[in-house]
């Protein structure tokens, strides 16, 4: 069996994740990209087409990191990889600060400068992006993306597949339901329920 990691994705998010994995002392053998992917991603050779996951498994690779920004696609590609037999690995930058009491799932990305405080839970396939802060007792759901420089106060819940745009903020003890898109720079002072897009200060539903 090979210890090197296969990264699914070959775009900008994959670049960041590959460099985190290298900072952790890991080696990324291949990226698996789509038909339009470039030949290399920060120096890693790119194989085009998801069917390559199967042939790499047959060649002895067992560890995968899914580096796709879209929450739904990240989840479905991770599920496919698990079905083949892969194990999801985490990419946690050594310069992120995680409390020892944080519970972390699989396939999680935590970028440089992020801070996650006591007894928070980060479910599988979540992204805690550059410089985001998650305070104590937060509950971040499956395949959530917390964008750069977001600030979540204590006891905040974010449901599966939700996306918090860059620089958004959430006051303590608020719940953001599943499948919510929160616009950049928004401030959440009420629970956001139902799915949909919310923007502004304070955050209100965007009715197009
Ligand atoms: C919220 C968001 C998803 C909406 O995108 P969209 O559905 O394409 O919406 P539009 O650009 O058509 O804007 C619709 C309206 O919402 C307003 N709006 C959009 N984003 C807003 C925001 N973040 N804050 C306040 N108002 C916003 C627009 O001004 C527009 O208002 P109008 O109808 O009065 O002109 C997007 O604007 C956004 O903020 N994305 C965050 C991206 C991000 O943080 N990426 C990080 C990657 S790591």
């Amino acid at each position: 069996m090979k210890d090197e990691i296969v990264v699914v994705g070959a775009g900008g998010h994959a670049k960041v994740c590959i460099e985190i994995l290298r900072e952790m002392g890991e080696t990324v053998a291949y990226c698996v990209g789509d038909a339009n992917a470039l030949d290399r991603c920060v120096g890693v050779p790119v194989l085009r087409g998801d069917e390559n996951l199967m042939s790499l498994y047959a060649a002895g690779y067992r560890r995968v990191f899914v580096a796709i920004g879209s929450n739904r696609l990240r989840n479905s590609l991770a599920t496919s990889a698990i079905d083949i037999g892969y194990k999801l690995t985490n990419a946690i930058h050594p310069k992120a600060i995680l409390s020892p009491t944080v519970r972390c799932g699989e396939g999680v990305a935590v970028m440089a400068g992020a801070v996650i405080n006591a007894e928070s839970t980060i479910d599988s396939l979540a992204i805690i992006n550059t410089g985001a802060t998650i305070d104590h007792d937060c509950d971040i759901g499956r395949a959530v993306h917390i964008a750069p420089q977001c600030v979540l106060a204590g006891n905040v819940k974010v449901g599966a597949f939700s996306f918090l745009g860059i620089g958004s903020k959430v006051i303590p003890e608020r719940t953001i339901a599943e499948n919510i898109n929160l616009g950049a720079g928004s401030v959440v002072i009420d629970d956001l329920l139902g799915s949909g897009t919310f923007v502004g200060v304070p955050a209100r539903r965007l009715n197009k």
Side-chain angles (χ1 to χ4, degrees):
M1 291 311 130
K2 294 187 164 74
D3 193 47
E4 296 93 334
I5 295 171
V6 173
V7 165
V8 178
H13 180 59
K15 290 181 185 179
V16 176
C17 293
I18 290 166
E19 292 192 340
I20 292 173
L21 290 164
R22 287 175 175 156
E23 288 282 337
M24 295 168 69
E26 302 280 9
T27 302
V28 178
Y30 292 100
C31 289
V32 173
D34 64 18
N36 301 316
L38 301 177
D39 290 343
R40 299 184 86 81
C41 181
V42 285
V44 176
V46 176
L47 306 173
R48 296 186 191 89
D50 295 342
E51 65 280 6
N52 286 292
L53 269 181
M54 193 72 89
S55 42
L56 288 170
Y57 188 85
Y61 294 94
R62 293 292 178 269
R63 300 173 68 209
V64 76
F65 185 83
V66 183
I68 301 280
S70 156
N71 292 344
R72 287 279 169 192
L73 187 56
R74 185 166 68 261
N75 185 64
S76 64
L77 289 170
T79 303
S80 305
I82 291 165
D83 288 347
I84 291 170
Y86 283 99
K87 174 126 180 59
L88 300 180
T89 189
N90 287 338
I92 298 179
H93 197 288
K95 289 188 175 154
I97 299 173
L98 274 70
S99 149
T101 54
V102 165
R103 296 170 291 269
C104 211
E106 297 177 331
V108 168
V110 183
M111 278 54 173
V115 178
I116 309 177
N117 278 343
E119 300 208 327
S120 284
T121 300
I122 312 295
D123 204 346
S124 296
L125 297 167
I127 301 170
I128 312 300
N129 220 319
T130 312
T133 66
I134 313 278
D135 222 297
H136 62 90
D137 299 297
C138 286
D139 186 353
I140 308 299
R142 184 177 178 89
V144 161
H145 181 176
I146 309 291
Q149 299 291 341
C150 285
V151 178
L152 276 60
N155 282 301
V156 168
K157 290 188 171 39
V158 182
F161 303 109
S162 286
F163 166 73
L164 275 58
I166 198 159
S168 52
K169 296 180 170 62
V170 187
I171 70 168
E173 299 181 3
R174 294 302 177 264
T175 294
I176 297 175
E178 298 185 1
N179 299 307
I180 298 253
N181 278 322
L182 180 65
S186 302
V187 176
V188 175
I189 61 167
D190 302 304
D191 292 349
L192 304 184
L193 304 175
S195 57
T197 300
F198 292 76
V199 297
V201 182
R204 297 282 181 246
R205 184 178 288 279
L206 179 62
N207 293 310
K208 281 204 172 180

